[in-house]
């Protein structure tokens, strides 16, 4: 189904590309180049949406896209043996997924590009690309071996930090950023691999981005006499031409996606990549795709936790693949790389998509993953280097960051809650900024009270952002020897659960059956009790979801002044194991309904005293973008909660303030 083309002779093409300086000297063996079949690309009347396509790029009809995939799969000669793992194969009623549309578009774009290599003003030929690759790596240093780079980091987890301006599921992420500058920051913070999206239409990338990342990191590494990071071309690669193009642009490795690639083509692409010195990162999602990757001889396997056909995220997918490798008796565990016996694992396992925190990294480290690829959270971070430090790639750093039950809580700020949201747009701004909890208020007296319909709209938007279709279940924690130790464990469970933002319904003196009814109607992930309901009312059995319990810190109290430690001791005596966590908020003396919404701060040393007694707390009341750095840096509360401090008017968020608040909290948390 591919034409075998002839670059130097009429019957066969033989060329040799020798990199004298590459470790384990790689030579380009005899290559029969596989190119895309010619496909009609006439102007279409019905086009697919390509919101970021360059103006000179053609648009294709659905029929053209389907034909491109059909030919890529092998046309009339395709079979279930080579294509049985491909979504929708042999289903006459199948509608192309977004992944398949993007892949088909790439095939047609490269058909046009490759066909222009015969003209003097067209794209470079395969022969020219291979010569450019040789010259580039002779001048700027050899291609780095991906698997060795990953395994050399053990027992630490290798980080592939990604440069991605946009995506089909999230739209624009950071279209203004410069690839070279961002790659330099990633390298300086400890990234072992820099992943660069080069797809132009949906991801707003380019090969120029890849070369810029390579050159900037090479320059920085040479100045420090250190090893530079490997550069990964992340794209929808279906031809050897694209691999040669990557090598010519300075890449060390390329991504191959099993979900869209026939097994025979995958073998050919892996073989070609190795012939030019690259060990590819082979991406799988389903276990059937793992079979294809292993049969093709993949050594570095990345598990995409996101199903690229549906965009649904399942962070357990990597663990499922790790378990399957274990069942098959294949060596892959990253810890074994540091044993010193010279017997390295056959396979390096990588986790791709959906990660953003030290908990994620540690979760996958425990099952033997050697590298985590993280992109969106780093692209959105106000300080990517601090965000990378916060990932705790070294297991010792992670262990020291975790609070030990029975001692003071010293783990720092892990939870950011933006409350008082009344519409989906504002909620999404908070999600994109990195908030863990999205608060919507049902309290009757609040100026920010939402209706059931408003709440449902926000819940649906937050779920879509988090690529989930149901509420998130927080791990169940059985009561320990004391309420404080139980709450420490519950807080850690909430940290893990809120890596994708959760929606919290805020209630004040509602009957518990009413709260439960609203939880079910709206699909809330959690509740927050902000009235005089009592500590025991926050038991999850009352609502089917966990509950935050607010403790009011009253301003203007009469009587003999108490020290912050005395107040903390009084609070601690009232704490039970029922809530998932404790939130401290300001109240005004004489308000019998409960606090909240005062816009005033309380004495933060009370929170500090409670944490010194071992209880992690969230602080609220009077927080703003201007004082969040001080609050997080000095007190290091487990969580922070803001509402009025980031508003343009009651119930309407100021998007710039939201971003500054969340970004400021994250930055201060890492620096504290």
């Amino acid at each position: 189904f591919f034409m075998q083309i002839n670059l130097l002779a009429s019957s066969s093409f033989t060329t040799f590309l020798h990199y004298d300086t590459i470790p384990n000297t790689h030579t380009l063996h005899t290559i029969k180049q596989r190119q895309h079949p010619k496909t009609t690309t006439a102007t279409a009347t019905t086009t697919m949406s390509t919101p970021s396509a360059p103006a000179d790029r053609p648009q294709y009809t659905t029929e053209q896209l389907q034909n491109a995939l059909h030919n890529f799969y092998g046309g009339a000669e395709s079979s279930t043996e080579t294509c049985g793992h491909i979504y929708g194969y042999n289903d006459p009623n199948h509608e192309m997924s977004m992944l398949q549309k993007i892949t088909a578009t790439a095939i047609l774009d490269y058909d046009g590009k490759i066909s222009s290599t015969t003209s003097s003003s067209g794209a470079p030929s395969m022969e020219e690309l291979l010569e450019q690759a040789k010259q580039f790596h002779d001048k700027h240093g050899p291609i780095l071996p991906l698997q060795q780079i990953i395994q050399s980091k053990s027992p630490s987890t290798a980080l592939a930090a990604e440069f991605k301006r946009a995506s089909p599921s999230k739209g624009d992420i950071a279209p203004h950023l410069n690839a070279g500058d961002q790659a330099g920051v990633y390298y300086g913070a400890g990234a072992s691999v820099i992943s660069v999206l080069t797809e132009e239409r949906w991801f707003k990338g380019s090969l120029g981005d890849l070369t810029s990342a390579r050159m900037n990191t090479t320059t920085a590494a040479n100045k420090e006499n250190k090893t530079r990071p490997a550069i990964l071309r992340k794209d929808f690669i279906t031809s050897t031409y694209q691999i040669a193009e990557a090598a010519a642009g300075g890449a060390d490795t390329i991504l191959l996606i099993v979900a869209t690639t026939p097994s025979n083509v995958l073998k050919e692409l892996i073989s070609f990549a190795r012939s030019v010195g690259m060990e590819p990162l082979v991406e799988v999602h389903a276990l059937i795709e793992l079979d294809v990757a292993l049969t093709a001889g993949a050594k570095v396997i990345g598990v995409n936790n996101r199903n690229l056909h549906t965009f649904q995220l399942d962070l357990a997918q990597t663990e499922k693949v790790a378990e399957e490798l274990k069942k098959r008796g294949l060596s892959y565990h990253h810890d074994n790389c540091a044993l010193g016996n010279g017997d390295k694992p056959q396979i390096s396992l990588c986790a791709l998509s959906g990660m953003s925190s030290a908990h994620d990294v540690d979760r996958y480290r425990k099952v033997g993953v050697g590298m985590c690829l993280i992109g969106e959270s780093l692209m959105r971070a106000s300080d990517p280097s601090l965000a990378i430090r916060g990932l705790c790639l070294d297991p010792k750093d992670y262990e020291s960051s975790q609070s030990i039950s029975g001692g003071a809580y010293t783990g720092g700020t892990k939870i950011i809650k933006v409350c008082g949201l009344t519409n989906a747009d504002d909620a999404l701004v908070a999600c994109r900024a990195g908030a863990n909890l999205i608060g919507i208020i049902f309290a009757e007296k609040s100026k920010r009270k939402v209706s059931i319909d408003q709440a449902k709209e926000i819940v649906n938007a937050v779920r879509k952002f988090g690529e989930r279709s149901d509420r998130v279940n927080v791990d169940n924690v059985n009561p320990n020897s004391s309420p404080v130790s139980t709450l420490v464990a519950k807080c850690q469970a909430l940290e893990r659960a809120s890596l994708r933002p959760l929606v919290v319904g805020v209630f004040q003196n509602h009957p518990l059956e009413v709260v439960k009814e609203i939880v079910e109607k709206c699909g809330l992930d959690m509740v927050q009790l902000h009235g005089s309901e009592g500590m025991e009312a926050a038991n999850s059995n009352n609502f089917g979801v966990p509950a935050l319990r607010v403790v009011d810190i009253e301003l203007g109290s009469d009587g003999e002044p108490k020290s912050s430690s005395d107040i903390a001791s009084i609070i601690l005596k009232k704490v039970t194991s029922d809530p998932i966590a404790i939130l401290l908020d300001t109240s005004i003396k004489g308000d019998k309904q409960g606090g909240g919404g005062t816009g005033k701060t309380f004495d933060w040393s009370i929170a500090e005293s409670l944490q010194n007694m071992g209880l992690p707390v969230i602080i609220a009341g009077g927080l703003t973008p201007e004082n969040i750095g001080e609050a997080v840096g000095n007190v290091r509360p487990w969580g922070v909660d803001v509402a009025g401090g980031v508003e343009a008017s009651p119930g309407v968020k100021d998007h710039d303030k939201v971003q500054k608040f969340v970004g400021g909290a994250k930055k201060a948390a890492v620096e504290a």
Side-chain angles (χ1 to χ4, degrees), residues 5-8 13 33 35 113-133 240-242 244-245 248 272:
I5 70 165
N6 190 347
L7 296 181
L8 295 182
F13 162 50
Q33 186 199 0
Q35 273 195 310
K113 190 170 188 176
I114 293 170
S115 67
S116 72
T117 60
T118 56
S119 67
S120 59
S121 60
S125 66
M126 173 67 90
E127 182 183 26
E128 290 168 335
L129 284 176
L130 295 174
E131 179 58 30
Q132 288 172 17
T240 53
Y241 187 92
Q242 291 167 283
E245 198 177 46
F272 183 86

Side-chain angles (χ1 to χ4, degrees), residues 258-281:
V258 175
T260 56
T261 310
S263 59
N264 58 321
V265 178
L266 181 67
K267 289 180 183 178
E268 183 175 340
L269 295 178
I270 291 174
S271 176
F272 183 86
R274 288 175 178 160
S275 74
V276 297
M278 293 182 179
E279 183 59 48
L281 172 60

Side-chain angles (χ1 to χ4, degrees), residues 341-464:
N341 58 10
D343 188 16
K344 303 291 185 183
Q346 304 162 268
I347 294 165
S348 291
L349 187 62
C350 311
L352 318 178
S353 292
M355 294 155 288
S356 62
S357 76
H359 288 309
D360 293 326
V361 174
D362 186 65
R363 170 180 182 170
Y364 294 129
R365 179 164 43 226
K366 288 175 179 176
V367 297
V369 166
M371 183 172 78
C372 290
L373 187 148
I374 300 177
E376 183 179 341
S377 64
L378 297 181
M379 291 293 288
R380 295 189 190 278
S382 57
D383 190 331
S385 61
L386 292 176
I388 290 173
R389 276 174 49 196
L391 293 172
C392 298
L393 299 171
D394 187 326
K396 293 179 181 178
D397 292 338
Y398 181 78
E399 289 169 11
S400 65
S401 74
Q402 300 302 294
S403 175
I404 300 174
S405 180
Y409 172 74
T410 59
T413 302
K414 305 295 179 67
I415 296 293
I416 301 172
K417 178 168 172 274
V418 178
C419 199
L421 293 148
T422 60
N423 63 79
D425 288 343
D426 287 356
L428 288 174
V429 168
C431 290
R432 294 187 185 111
N436 306 92
L437 304 180
I438 304 298
I440 54 178
I441 298 175
F442 294 92
E444 295 296 335
K445 73 170 189 175
S446 176
K447 295 175 287 188
R448 306 176 183 96
K449 182 189 175 186
V450 296
S451 66
I452 296 296
D453 288 342
Q454 284 175 296
K456 287 180 178 179
E457 182 184 5
I458 292 170
V459 167
N460 289 336
V462 173
R463 285 186 180 181
K464 185 175 181 181

